[in-house]
Amino acid sequence: MEANIIAHDGDQVTVQVCIDLSGTMLEAEGQIQDACNAIGRAASLEALKRFETDGTPIMLGAIKWTRRCTSHQTYQTPYGTVGLERHVYQTSQGGKIYCPLDADARIIRHATPLFAKQLSHKYAQMNVNAVCADLSDNHGRPVTASYVQNVTDWVGAIAMAQEETWDYTLPVLDQPVASVAISLDGAMLAMKEEGWREAMVGSLSLYDPAGERLHTIYVAATPEHGKAVFLQRMTQEIERIKTQYPSALYLGIADGAASNWSFLEQHTERQLLDYFHAAEHLPAIAMAAYPGKTDKPKREQWLHEQRHQLKHEHGAVEAVIEAAQRLTHKRSLSRSVNEDLQAALTYFSNQAARMDYAQHLSEHLPIGSGVIEAACKTLVKQRLCGAGMRWKQRGAKIILSLRALVQSTGRWAQFWQKINQFGAQPC
């Protein structure tokens, strides 16, 4: 099906298309979709022509470029392929070919910017075969798997190259920001050459005075020894947030890993052990208190009470430690029960200063790392840990960079605004 341009009025065009509405509703809708794609191709071709030069020499900085020849190029749009003749340029020294149309229209691997945006967004969410099936089945837009990967590799390269330099503005928030919770965690990822390694995920969550989460920024990084790149990016995000919200309370929330605290202590006023990680160690103490086979109801009652007290009562963690210390003197405990008890006692003793949950709740502050736990699943696991998936560093980094932009509300749109403003080159 073809559409025809029947009128031009400056930058406006009128497009004519004939649609056959016979048959079932599903068949008619298929014809309508084909017509919409035909209109899109016709209009896209006219839009591309607006960026073509007249063939006269151009200046890029202090360098003069002259027309080398006219070359036919096929472009990929959301509606199908379109082709046109366009001028390509070269300097008097020869070498690299330059196409003003491609540069000015922000073409990425022969894809128009909207199509490149669509491909990279879909690829961030689905594997390449699913992307191709979705485009073909739902949009009437067949495309090869290699082309999807070619375009998204370029878009991902831009995202990676500009992670440290492009500054993204925060959305307009309805409430003032009273606190910022900073968390980091890891998720295991199967790498092709290194086996299972830990990918890092970070989150910066903004809360209002009532404790409602207003906005979250996500950072993700592929496995690396020492985590220097990831921590540097987290530091940059923290510094940007502090510049905008200098009076907010900065709270670090994480599990018990020592490396988490060494970083969070540098950037936050308070540190809090995730409540749910702490509560996971209570069953070991309950088992030592009520080890009998028929003591399950007593253990469950004790756990219920201790979890509530740990969460809501001041001094609860000291009471848990005292109870565990008393139980270490019981001689009737089995070796395994006693070892688990000792491990729990050590855990609570080492982390006690980061367990004042009642105080934080009274200040309407978060006490759990649910945001970062969810981010590990949505950023890493859902896309990168499918059956049989193994990743090279670059491929995994592209996916994580794109997914972090998509999941941080507002950043995906800003990322493409910056491409529209600064160009589509990775560096």
Side-chain angles (χ1 to χ4, degrees), residues 96 98 102-103 106-109 154 157-159 161-162 166 419 422-427:
K96 179 181 177 181
Y98 176 74
D102 286 8
R106 306 311 192 216
I107 301 298
I108 297 176
R109 288 296 194 250
W154 191 267
I158 298 173
Q162 304 296 346
W166 281 357
I419 288 178
F422 300 115
Q425 295 299 314
C427 58

Side-chain angles (χ1 to χ4, degrees), residues 2 45 47 88 130 153 157 164 189 218 274 318 355 360 415 419:
E2 294 299 327
L45 180 58
V88 295
D153 184 77
E164 298 180 5
L189 181 62
Y218 296 99
D274 168 55
E318 288 78 9
M355 291 186 178
H360 285 77
F415 171 70
I419 288 178

Side-chain angles (χ1 to χ4, degrees), residues 295-311:
D295 288 340
K296 183 177 179 180
K298 295 180 180 178
R299 286 197 298 272
E300 291 180 346
Q301 178 63 29
W302 186 91
L303 276 173
H304 176 75
E305 293 174 354
Q306 293 302 315
R307 286 168 179 156
H308 183 273
Q309 291 172 11
L310 183 63
K311 188 174 184 179

Side-chain angles (χ1 to χ4, degrees), residues 20-137:
D20 180 3
L21 299 179
S22 64
T24 66
M25 186 63 190
L26 180 61
E27 291 169 340
E29 287 181 309
Q31 290 294 321
I32 294 170
Q33 183 180 66
D34 289 344
C36 290
N37 283 341
I39 293 170
R41 291 192 298 272
S44 294
L45 180 58
E46 295 302 312
L48 284 167
K49 291 177 181 178
R50 295 169 51 244
F51 296 93
E52 175 61 318
T53 67
D54 59 6
T56 57
I58 60 175
M59 297 294 294
L60 295 178
I63 300 175
K64 182 179 181 180
W65 294 69
T66 56
R67 189 180 75 89
R68 181 190 181 193
C69 63
T70 301
S71 172
H72 182 82
Q73 181 60 57
T74 298
Y75 293 97
Q76 302 285 339
T77 81
Y79 324 102
T81 60
V82 298
L84 77 161
E85 301 289 325
R86 81 276 200 269
H87 298 298
V88 295
Y89 287 70
Q90 201 171 32
T91 70
S92 59
Q93 304 299 316
K96 179 181 177 181
I97 299 296
Y98 176 74
C99 177
L101 185 151
D102 286 8
D104 294 342
R106 306 311 192 216
I107 301 298
I108 297 176
R109 288 296 194 250
H110 302 148
T112 58
L114 178 59
F115 194 45
K117 179 181 178 182
Q118 292 173 345
L119 290 179
S120 52
H121 188 281
K122 288 180 181 293
Y123 188 63
Q125 310 298 332
M126 304 181 283
N127 66 57
V128 67
N129 292 327
V131 173
C132 293
D134 176 64
L135 286 168
S136 178
D137 297 343

